[in-house]
Amino acid sequence: MPSIPTSNASFDDDAEKGVASIYPGDIAITFSNEKKDVTIEQVLPVAAASETNEELAAKPVQTASKPAKKKVSKWILWQLWFNTYRKLFTIVFIANVIMFGFAVSGRWHYARKYGGAMAVGNFNVAVLVRNEIFGRCLYLFVNTCFAKWTPLRWRLMCTSILQHLGGIHSGCAISGIIWLILRTVDVFRAHKEEHAVVLAFGVLTCVTMVITAVAALPWVRNTHHNVFERWHRFMGWFSLVLTWMFVLLGDLWDTTTKQWNLGGEHIVKQQDFWYVMCMTAWIALPWICTRKVPVEVELPSNKVAVLRFERGMQQSLLARISRSAVKEYHAFGIISEGTHAKYHYLVCGVQGDFTRSLVNDPPKYIWTRELKFAGVSNTSALYKRGIRICTGTGIGAALSTCIQSPNWFLIWIGSDQEKTFGPTISGLIKSNIEPERYLLWDSKVRGGRPDTRKILKEVYKSFNAEVVFITSNYTGNSEMMQACKEEGIPCFGTLWDFVSADRSLTGRGLQAYGWG
């Protein structure tokens, strides 16, 4: 499950940041609607027109009063916790537990006889839903068939399922391990008929599969991400090899004659053979698209590296990049003006060893997968109008949606946007998004964080939006998701599945999709 870094970012001239006019006091923002013009007033403190940026910077900043924290109902918290990911996991796992119960009780002879096929079948589905090509096909199908004309409830359900396919991945993986253990136990119980080497590979496969699963536990993945990357990937590949051996040896050994049946015709008739074949293909396909490509690195500040690659991209795709062909890959949102563009960009905030190395030792070439995978906001095509709100370097995952679609409103919250991200990213915003379609909130200039609940509520109504997509850190994401739920606003946020007890920002935001 991939992680998407988010961090911080600015504000230069208020007239270029979505403000209709600049004058002392509060401002009125006018949003253009396809059917009619709707004007609303929002209390957004700005600088007086007579003050320059230098004078404003020299003045002592008055921190904006923080809105009183509302107590969130337990029902809202339950809805956010028991999301579609956990629902899909629960459905898949319970279905397997029921089938497992019938098998061990002797009421389903097929599952007991073909326990290996049940295990590998689950692994096959687990790998398939994480396959980037399969994911792109799903997004293409949904965006093509259901865009705009279907009921909003249906479109929201499609987006939610696509975002939380990881629930199927986890449910099938855990269930597959359970079936695999059952199959190994059956081989052990029939050790007089089974060959010892079959049992040995069964035990080894179980051990490596368990290690692979443990390496993907939220605590390991988010506090020791490199450990997760290496162990989950390489132990997973080793498990695949052992699965091949376990399946082939189990199929080749004839328990009746107690001899090896080496005929190829016998092997191709076994269903578990084809399951493993397909699983191997799903794992290998994305790696076929891996290339070492030239990259230009712009360093507007010591907080951010802006990577520029050739060719344009459609909106809301994510790229995996690495300094090595097979070691840990890191996912970042792609900023592009469209498929016709000459370049696309990644905004990489400095948060760990990898991103820090991009600033300290900028590469000239980098490994990436040419086939990019889709982020949840790729389903923005389903909606007539929407809001993309982000904080810090979360703009990398959000900006392309608003650049390529005139029906999406951008809200960004951070500090020193132009100084942090540089002229390239700022230029993309100014040249591609009309001022009335974005609000860039510089917390340093404006004196603190805004009331995101108020902004989202008013922009949602005035812009006639159907949905809100959120990319933020754990705290910001939780606050905005809770606010949207309470206001009855459909929303999708960054996936966070682990937070340490003493540091609320330890967990990693997960946007979707892949082995990491």
Side-chain angles (χ1 to χ4, degrees):
M1 301 179 185
S3 54
I4 295 196
T6 55
S7 65
N8 295 343
S10 155
F11 203 91
D12 195 7
D13 177 13
D14 285 322
E16 296 173 336
K17 300 299 187 276
V19 179
S21 59
I22 299 182
Y23 59 95
D26 300 299
I27 64 172
I29 300 181
T30 302
F31 301 105
S32 176
N33 188 285
E34 290 178 345
K35 298 181 179 179
K36 58 182 179 179
D37 290 333
V38 183
T39 303
I40 66 168
E41 292 189 356
Q42 294 179 297
V43 182
L44 302 176
V46 296
S50 60
E51 293 179 316
T52 65
N53 287 338
E54 291 76 11
E55 291 171 337
L56 184 63
K59 289 179 63 177
V61 177
Q62 295 182 350
T63 304
S65 58
K66 189 176 181 179
K69 191 172 182 179
K70 293 184 63 176
K71 187 175 181 180
V72 183
S73 70
K74 292 183 179 180
W75 173 240
I76 294 292
L77 294 176
W78 166 255
Q79 285 181 294
L80 292 174
W81 183 84
F82 195 59
N83 55 19
T84 306
Y85 182 102
R86 290 186 170 91
K87 291 175 184 175
L88 292 174
F89 176 90
T90 302
I91 292 170
V92 170
F93 187 72
I94 289 179
N96 271 279
V97 166
I98 292 173
M99 291 187 290
F100 185 83
F102 280 113
V104 296
S105 64
R107 297 185 179 182
W108 191 17
H109 298 292
Y110 170 85
R112 198 59 182 264
K113 182 179 180 181
Y114 298 102
M118 297 296 293
V120 181
N122 270 284
F123 293 142
N124 195 63
V125 176
V127 174
L128 178 62
V129 297
R130 281 304 197 200
N131 181 272
E132 294 162 8
I133 299 174
F134 178 74
R136 286 290 296 274
C137 290
L138 275 182
Y139 274 86
L140 178 62
F141 172 78
V142 170
N143 288 336
T144 302
C145 296
F146 305 126
K148 299 179 175 64
W149 68 272
T150 53
L152 178 60
R153 192 183 186 101
W154 170 261
R155 286 176 277 148
L156 292 171
M157 184 184 72
C158 289
T159 298
S160 186
I161 291 175
L162 288 173
Q163 182 186 25
H164 296 96
L165 285 173
I168 299 176
H169 168 76
S170 300
C172 285
I174 299 299
S175 301
I177 291 174
I178 295 173
W179 284 107
L180 181 63
I181 292 173
L182 176 64
R183 168 61 180 159
T184 305
V185 168
D186 284 345
V187 172
F188 176 76
R189 293 176 65 186
H191 63 277
K192 292 182 180 180
E193 290 79 27
E194 294 283 359
H195 199 285
V197 73
V198 178
L199 176 60
F201 275 102
V203 172
L204 287 173
T205 306
C206 288
V207 170
T208 55
M209 282 292 187
V210 169
I211 293 174
T212 303
V214 169
L217 289 175
W219 180 83
V220 178
R221 184 169 63 246
N222 295 309
T223 58
H224 305 282
H225 190 72
N226 288 345
V227 173
F228 154 69
E229 285 271 1
R230 292 164 184 168
W231 281 90
H232 193 64
R233 174 173 298 131
F234 294 116
M235 192 59 71
W237 289 349
F238 187 41
S239 298
L240 177 63
V241 174
L242 292 176
T243 301
W244 266 113
M245 297 301 297
F246 185 40
V247 167
L248 288 176
L249 291 172
D251 289 342
L252 290 173
W253 178 254
D254 191 327
T255 56
T256 304
T257 63
K258 296 184 180 180
Q259 291 182 341
W260 297 103
N261 183 357
L262 301 179
E265 183 179 350
H266 171 71
I267 286 293
V268 297
K269 290 181 179 179
Q270 308 304 312
Q271 54 187 320
D272 51 3
F273 168 81
W274 292 107
Y275 281 147
V276 182
M277 181 70 76
C278 290
M279 183 170 67
T280 305
W282 306 144
I283 292 174
L285 277 175
W287 291 95
I288 295 175
C289 304
T290 302
R291 300 287 187 277
K292 188 176 183 180
V293 299
V295 60
E296 293 185 16
V297 182
E298 178 184 332
L299 301 174
S301 69
N302 59 0
K303 298 179 182 179
V304 168
V306 178
L307 278 59
R308 188 179 77 175
F309 298 86
E310 293 183 355
R311 77 188 176 103
M313 297 281 178
Q314 62 171 275
Q315 59 93 18
S316 297
L317 298 181
L318 297 103
R320 301 187 194 281
I321 59 173
S322 175
R323 287 182 178 266
S324 167
V326 296
K327 290 185 179 179
E328 62 269 8
Y329 275 75
H330 301 261
F332 299 91
I334 295 174
I335 300 175
S336 178
E337 296 173 281
T339 54
H340 63 279
K342 189 175 181 181
Y343 303 108
H344 66 272
Y345 305 86
L346 306 184
V347 175
C348 306
V350 176
Q351 292 186 322
D353 294 339
F354 175 76
T355 47
R356 190 175 295 109
S357 73
L358 296 176
V359 174
N360 297 336
D361 181 25
K364 293 185 178 180
Y365 291 88
I366 206 159
W367 287 91
T368 186
R369 296 181 190 174
E370 292 284 82
L371 180 72
K372 312 305 179 185
F373 66 102
V376 63
S377 56
N378 190 257
T379 60
S380 60
L382 293 176
Y383 304 98
K384 297 174 185 177
R385 296 169 79 81
I387 299 169
R388 199 65 173 85
I389 184 169
C390 57
T391 61
T393 53
I395 197 169
L399 187 54
S400 63
T401 297
C402 300
I403 287 178
Q404 297 185 33
S405 173
N407 299 316
W408 279 78
F409 191 97
L410 174 66
I411 301 174
W412 175 84
I413 302 167
S415 63
D416 289 337
Q417 180 256 336
E418 195 158 339
K419 180 186 288 186
T420 302
F421 296 138
T424 299
I425 303 302
S426 297
L428 288 171
I429 296 173
K430 296 173 185 177
S431 60
N432 291 281
I433 308 178
E434 303 82 6
E436 64 270 14
R437 255 199 324 119
Y438 65 86
L439 171 63
L440 305 186
W441 182 284
D442 189 328
S443 57
K444 185 175 292 185
V445 173
R446 293 184 181 273
R449 293 171 54 196
D451 185 342
T452 51
R453 176 191 291 264
K454 177 181 175 63
I455 290 177
L456 282 171
K457 182 180 178 181
E458 294 184 352
V459 174
Y460 177 78
K461 291 181 178 179
S462 63
F463 196 65
N464 197 23
E466 291 185 317
V467 69
V468 174
F469 285 116
I470 303 165
T471 303
S472 183
N473 58 32
Y474 178 81
T475 302
N477 184 79
S478 297
E479 290 178 357
M480 286 185 269
M481 289 285 286
Q482 292 167 9
C484 286
K485 282 289 185 182
E486 290 186 328
E487 297 293 342
I489 299 174
C491 62
F492 297 93
T494 311
L495 299 185
W496 293 80
D497 56 6
F498 176 80
V499 184
S500 69
D502 57 340
R503 290 198 305 166
S504 63
L505 298 183
T506 298
R508 289 178 179 265
L510 304 178
Q511 199 80 344
Y513 319 97
W515 292 97

